[in-house]
Amino acid sequence: MSVNTSAPARALPAAPIPVPRTAPRRRSVAQGALAVLLIIVGALTAAYVAQRIGSTQDYLAMARPVGKGALIAREDLVVVRVNQAVGLRPILAANAAQVIGKRAVMALVPGTLLTLDQVTETPVPAPGHQLIGIALGEDKMPSASRLSVGAQVLLVVVPERGGGSNDGPDLVPPRTVTATIVQLAAGARSGQWVINVEVATVDAPSVAALAAGDRIVLVLDGS
């Protein structure tokens, strides 16, 4: 009896799977370039931030409100350190002398940077105008909270009342005088306000006489 000693047949090995050699290389090159680009961008950003931080300077800002036309005092200002910005022309803190003692062109609110366009050396009263102080009771003016330095107002002349049957108001419109508030303060008596107004020189004598006779009502001009 013969025994078959031949080895069992084995399956042929499968053909090797081809591995692409170009795709990974391309991918690694692209990733490397992206990494280098990100490093460069990060370095440029850090340099820009460092430059901007390094260029901060001390500028003048408003510490408290100042009305239009009012004098700017040292106490009205505060020093802030900010970065330079394109298009802005704030006043350096070292140049505070250029601002103190000048008048505000517009109403200035706390926290805003101050520029030379917001101040003026125009005297008060301006040429061709005069400054007059009038004392008014609360019944002859709007609420003081509605009034501010620099506001345009109308001084309405109260018709003079005589005795007899002509005791009523005139039927014609009363005379008005345009004025600008320069200063506003509480008077010595309760409910009284002292208001310094700037009027044209031609109107100044009449306004002074009418104020002395308590014949002026102040109206806030909304025009």
Side-chain angles (χ1 to χ4, degrees):
M1 179 177 178
S2 62
V3 179
N4 187 2
T5 58
S6 60
R10 292 181 299 174
L12 294 176
I17 299 174
V19 179
R21 299 183 179 279
T22 57
R25 180 176 181 83
R26 291 176 181 174
R27 188 180 299 112
S28 61
V29 171
Q31 291 176 345
L34 178 60
V36 172
L37 179 61
L38 292 176
I39 293 174
I40 294 175
V41 172
L44 292 176
T45 302
Y48 175 79
V49 172
Q51 181 182 8
R52 298 305 295 174
I53 294 176
S55 63
T56 57
Q57 296 192 48
D58 291 336
Y59 295 101
L60 294 177
M62 300 307 302
R64 56 188 185 182
V66 173
K68 178 181 176 181
L71 287 173
I72 299 175
R74 184 178 299 274
E75 295 76 17
D76 299 325
L77 305 175
V78 65
V79 176
V80 295
R81 189 168 186 83
V82 296
N83 297 333
Q84 296 180 353
V86 178
L88 295 180
R89 295 183 299 169
I91 301 174
L92 291 171
N95 299 331
Q98 298 180 4
V99 177
I100 298 173
K102 293 186 178 180
R103 296 189 177 273
V105 176
M106 61 192 71
L108 303 175
V109 298
T112 57
L113 291 174
L114 194 62
T115 67
L116 288 176
D117 297 332
Q118 297 171 326
V119 298
T120 181
E121 291 181 329
T122 302
V124 177
H129 291 73
Q130 292 187 4
L131 192 63
I132 298 177
I134 57 177
L136 297 176
E138 293 179 341
D139 59 334
K140 291 187 177 181
M141 57 180 285
S143 173
S145 61
R146 301 291 303 274
L147 302 177
S148 61
V149 173
Q152 297 292 319
V153 296
L154 291 178
L155 305 180
V156 180
V157 178
V158 177
E160 188 174 10
R161 297 186 178 185
S165 59
N166 296 326
D167 200 23
D170 296 344
L171 297 179
V172 295
R175 179 188 173 192
T176 60
V177 177
T178 302
T180 302
I181 296 179
V182 176
Q183 189 176 15
L184 177 69
R189 297 198 305 266
S190 177
Q192 183 190 62
W193 289 86
V194 177
I195 306 173
N196 289 332
V197 294
E198 182 180 359
V199 299
T201 300
V202 66
D203 295 322
S206 298
V207 172
L210 293 168
D214 197 23
R215 292 182 54 199
I216 289 180
V217 174
L218 187 144
V219 177
L220 185 60
D221 188 3
S223 60

